[in-house]
Amino acid sequence: MALTKRIIPCLDVDRGRVVKGIRFKDLKDAGDPVEQALTYERQGADEIVFLDITASSDFRETVYEMIKKTAYSLSIPFTVGGGLRSSIDVRKVLLAGADKASLNTAAVMNPEVIREGAEVFGSQCIVVAIDAKRAGPGRWEVYTYGGRRPTGLDAIEWARRAEQMGAGEILLTSMDYDGSKDGYDIELTKAVSRAVNIPVIASGGAGNPEHICRALVEGEADAALAASIFHYGEYSVEDVKRHLKGKGVSVRL
Amino acid sequence: MRVAVLDLGLGNLLSIKRALERQGADVSILSGWDGGTDLPPAIVLPGVGAFRDGISALGRFKGAIEMAKGGGATVLGICLGMQLLLSKSYEGGEYEGLNLIKGEVVKLPPSVKVPHMGWNSIRILKRSPITDGVADGEFFYFVHSYHCALQEDVAIAETEYGTKVVAMVEKRNIFGTQFHPEKSGAAGARIIRNFLEVSKR
């Protein structure tokens, strides 16, 4: 008996519709977040992350509608992030039915948002997402606004601070490796995993199941998030878990 | 099957409501109970928030708790809801619990990352109608920082996270799960279905 490593597919959502979703013949509507999430649930996903990339605030409400529908159908936990600006947004996301809210830019601008969310809903509901870019040997800088703005903050220091403020989990994305399909930034993942005493989700760079394995074993991450390797149907969540199990990694299969 | 979910005002009850409804339950969310209406035969104590707030909110349900104590309703406590059943908690201070089950709620050991978050497998210690059809070693979704140190022999399943962690309890008409059945896929749905079956008896 051991706590298993989690495999978390990530879905990008724009105005309540999934972009770059899974391409399967049996999906009636590839843009439907609920249908996409249920497909992953059936494949054995341990959680789902929705990243809201809706640019215009005119369509902000679409995310709450999506959360309600998802909560209605899904029977595994799901996280919603992207564009949450304040503890009011956190509250709305959680009350709509999400299990966790993920904060990124807002947490850097005002770390009190983490504390407020954790005090009202509990640390387990508050994920702090960190976009980190290599700045030198063993050093990574935190970026905000979807990776556009450097902050001068050290990623490891910021992860520790987020934990102190009450974050229940760190979602760590390597900007250098994101989209590369060359594997996760193992050094970054390991450095942050060792720096904090809360779970760390590795993100950015998964191209095959072995990459995920390395992030969990060598990177010491508690969970791995991936998007494109699942979306294009190259590997199912189950394929990844079978690979992990074969390598002696404890997974729910 | 009528089921009451006690609203302790600590978060969203949509998931547990839906999980019960999927198994055919007729769910009402109660924000208090003073004995004025018929209490459903099954009561769910939901699982989010801090112990202090939970026990304080339960003040609005004294009548319902008394009914449950007398065997008049079957109870399922989930996560915090299970912890509230115990005598005492050390979460953020020292607080008296419902004392329906003798034991204390204590912090997970420092050797592990806290919260205990994710899917862990359970070992079934004692077979019960609530684990009917659930395999030994089945996975469930846990999210908690404190756990139950029981002072009576009512654990029916356990898991491991730095220490042995009580996963499920059963004492007459009172059941509890440290994990979240409403977030545990098909295995969790089975627990909920079993709870509804037990409540019919």
Side-chain angles (χ1 to χ4, degrees):
Chain A
M1 261 190 301
L3 181 63
T4 57
K5 301 281 190 179
R6 287 170 282 153
I7 302 303
I8 309 177
C10 176
L11 291 163
D12 286 354
V13 177
D14 186 6
R15 302 182 188 185
R17 303 280 296 165
V18 172
V19 290
K20 297 186 297 182
I22 332 165
R23 293 178 190 164
F24 285 134
K25 289 191 289 286
D26 55 337
L27 279 185
K28 285 190 215 88
D29 177 1
D32 178 15
V34 177
E35 221 181 319
Q36 293 272 350
L38 283 173
T39 302
Y40 284 136
E41 177 179 324
R42 280 192 292 271
Q43 287 183 1
D46 295 307
E47 288 182 32
I48 307 282
V49 167
F50 290 99
L51 182 64
D52 183 28
I53 56 166
T54 309
S56 165
S57 57
D58 295 351
F59 296 95
R60 211 45 220 145
E61 292 302 315
T62 57
V63 73
Y64 302 113
E65 271 308 303
M66 180 208 78
I67 296 169
K68 275 183 206 152
K69 286 185 191 149
T70 306
Y72 195 79
S73 299
L74 208 63
S75 57
I76 56 171
F78 68 101
T79 302
V80 176
L84 305 186
R85 288 185 189 84
S86 64
S87 54
I88 295 165
D89 290 346
V90 169
R91 184 182 185 81
K92 280 167 84 174
V93 158
L94 295 175
L95 291 183
D99 297 282
K100 307 177 195 177
S102 172
L103 291 161
N104 191 329
T105 303
V108 173
M109 307 270 279
N110 175 21
E112 279 300 316
V113 175
I114 305 172
R115 191 198 301 279
E116 286 165 18
E119 274 178 3
V120 178
F121 294 100
S123 287
Q124 76 283 352
C125 296
I126 309 298
V127 179
V128 169
I130 300 177
D131 292 338
K133 193 176 164 100
R134 204 169 271 271
R139 275 184 51 243
W140 295 266
E141 184 179 359
V142 177
Y143 280 64
T144 52
Y145 293 97
R148 291 192 298 275
R149 197 175 296 181
T151 62
L153 283 173
D154 177 74
I156 295 165
E157 284 309 308
W158 171 232
R160 282 204 188 102
R161 172 121 167 87
E163 177 183 14
Q164 281 162 12
M165 295 300 282
E169 197 163 41
I170 301 287
L171 168 53
L172 178 67
T173 302
S174 158
M175 291 173 55
D176 304 291
Y177 288 66
D178 199 20
S180 73
K181 303 198 125 203
D182 287 338
Y184 295 81
D185 187 336
I186 302 299
E187 200 189 339
L188 167 68
T189 306
K190 186 172 176 171
V192 174
S193 292
R194 289 193 167 183
V196 296
N197 197 38
I198 51 178
V200 173
I201 306 169
S203 158
N208 62 46
E210 181 56 20
H211 290 153
I212 292 181
C213 185
R214 289 192 59 209
L216 299 171
V217 177
E218 292 164 45
E220 302 177 18
D222 300 279
L225 180 139
S228 54
I229 77 160
F230 297 134
H231 298 341
Y232 300 119
E234 292 164 63
Y235 301 97
S236 68
V237 176
E238 193 182 338
D239 294 336
V240 169
K241 286 190 163 181
R242 291 213 179 282
H243 177 84
L244 292 169
K245 194 171 185 183
K247 295 279 181 158
V249 178
S250 173
V251 286
R252 176 178 69 111
L253 196 62
Chain B
M1 177 79 206
R2 290 167 59 234
V3 181
V5 175
L6 305 194
D7 184 2
L8 305 180
L10 303 176
N12 148 60
L13 303 176
L14 191 65
S15 301
I16 183 62
K17 180 168 185 277
R18 272 298 297 158
L20 288 158
E21 283 172 354
R22 269 185 223 124
Q23 303 306 321
D26 170 15
V27 182
S28 44
I29 299 209
L30 300 185
S31 52
W33 193 75
D34 56 6
T37 51
D38 253 7
L39 188 70
I43 296 177
V44 174
L45 280 178
V48 283
F51 192 93
R52 182 194 60 187
D53 302 332
I55 206 71
S56 143
L58 272 176
R60 300 197 300 269
F61 297 98
K62 280 197 180 111
I65 302 300
E66 283 309 310
M67 285 274 285
K69 232 183 229 177
T74 308
V75 175
L76 175 62
I78 295 172
C79 195
L80 171 71
M82 169 166 113
Q83 298 178 356
L84 291 169
L85 302 170
L86 271 60
S87 320
K88 191 190 266 194
S89 170
Y90 292 95
E91 182 185 346
E94 197 177 324
Y95 299 94
E96 299 292 312
L98 293 174
N99 200 29
L100 296 176
I101 289 171
K102 299 266 178 289
E104 295 180 339
V105 182
V106 298
K107 187 117 179 133
L108 284 165
S111 57
V112 286
K113 288 190 174 188
V114 173
H116 172 209
M117 185 187 282
W119 297 80
N120 207 332
S121 57
I122 64 164
R123 181 185 296 128
I124 293 178
L125 302 170
K126 211 182 284 173
R127 272 292 165 186
S128 150
I130 202 160
T131 52
D132 199 26
V134 175
D136 193 35
E138 186 58 81
F139 293 99
F140 291 94
Y141 191 81
F142 289 80
V143 189
H144 61 115
S145 303
Y146 287 76
H147 72 110
C148 294
L150 299 176
Q151 290 156 354
E152 58 179 318
D153 185 23
V154 294
I156 58 169
E158 67 181 12
T159 188
E160 249 162 60
Y161 192 64
T163 179
K164 279 189 175 142
V165 171
V166 176
M168 298 182 78
V169 294
E170 174 183 4
K171 184 179 177 182
R172 297 190 301 270
N173 58 322
I174 312 279
F175 297 88
T177 64
Q178 182 59 68
F179 54 81
H180 287 265
E182 78 281 18
K183 287 287 161 192
S184 296
R190 183 70 203 230
I191 299 273
I192 287 172
R193 196 164 92 210
N194 290 342
F195 169 68
L196 295 174
E197 283 301 318
V198 171
S199 305
K200 281 179 191 161
R201 293 176 192 169

